[in-house]
């Protein structure tokens, strides 16, 4: 699975949230400044060509649906990041976030509790 660009990922996040959407619906969820309709249409069609999105046709207007789930993309993206930056070690990844103060001791305790419970 190909890594999405920032703009592609923004569109996919909106589509995953809406589950199905017309271009105008996607634009509404995007941050300011809003991209032009044609720009969003071009990117969403590119995502369809790449296999991330499919569409239903409504008399020439397309309603887009995600073909790849958010969870499947997360697994791939995190797996690639784990291999590239953390030597395939969750321990190294968590230690990195702890050193960077991106995770609190309370959050670490919650993670340990979840692991112990098998969640």
């Amino acid at each position: 699975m190909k890594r999405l660009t920032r703009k592609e990922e923004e569109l996919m996040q909106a589509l995953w949230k809406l589950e199905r959407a017309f271009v105008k619906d996607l634009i509404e969820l995007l941050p300011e400044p809003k991209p032009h309709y044609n720009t969003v249409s071009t990117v969403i069609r590119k995502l369809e060509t790449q296999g991330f999105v499919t569409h239903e046709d409504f008399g020439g207007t397309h309603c887009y649906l995600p073909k790849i789930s958010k969870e499947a993309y997360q697994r791939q993206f995190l797996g690639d990041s784990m291999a590239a930056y953390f030597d395939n070690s969750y321990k190294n990844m968590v230690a990195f976030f702890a050193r960077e103060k991106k995770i609190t001791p309370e959050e670490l305790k919650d993670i340990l509790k979840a692991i112990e419970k098998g969640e």
Side-chain angles (χ1 to χ4, degrees):
M1 183 183 308
K2 168 192 170 306
R3 172 83 194 267
L4 298 173
T5 66
R6 186 177 55 79
K7 290 293 182 191
E8 291 169 338
E9 203 166 283
E10 247 179 23
L11 274 180
M12 286 304 298
Q13 290 289 349
L15 190 55
W16 284 321
K17 184 173 185 172
L18 294 171
E19 297 180 4
R20 58 188 312 115
F22 295 96
V23 170
K24 65 178 180 59
D25 302 323
L26 293 168
I27 292 170
E28 287 178 24
L29 280 185
L30 296 175
E32 294 290 342
K34 302 286 187 190
H36 191 273
Y37 183 96
N38 290 342
T39 302
V40 175
S41 181
T42 298
V43 174
I44 200 81
R45 282 185 277 124
K46 182 180 173 192
L47 286 166
E48 186 170 21
T49 301
Q50 295 170 346
F52 286 93
V53 172
T54 189
H55 76 270
E56 295 174 347
D57 191 18
F58 290 96
T61 302
H62 293 160
C63 181
Y64 294 95
L65 302 94
K67 201 170 178 182
I68 303 293
S69 72
K70 184 176 183 177
E71 293 76 19
Y73 185 74
Q74 284 174 327
R75 268 192 300 280
Q76 179 70 41
F77 171 69
L78 288 176
D80 291 348
S81 295
M82 287 285 294
Y85 299 106
F86 302 108
D87 297 324
N88 279 326
S89 167
Y90 287 102
K91 177 183 170 190
N92 290 347
M93 183 177 71
V94 173
F96 168 81
F97 288 118
R99 279 192 309 275
E100 295 293 314
K101 296 183 171 62
K102 302 291 184 189
I103 191 167
T104 66
E106 292 76 27
E107 289 170 325
L108 283 172
K109 289 175 189 173
D110 290 344
I111 291 169
L112 286 172
K113 286 177 189 174
I115 291 169
E116 288 169 356
K117 290 181 181 177
E119 296 177 355

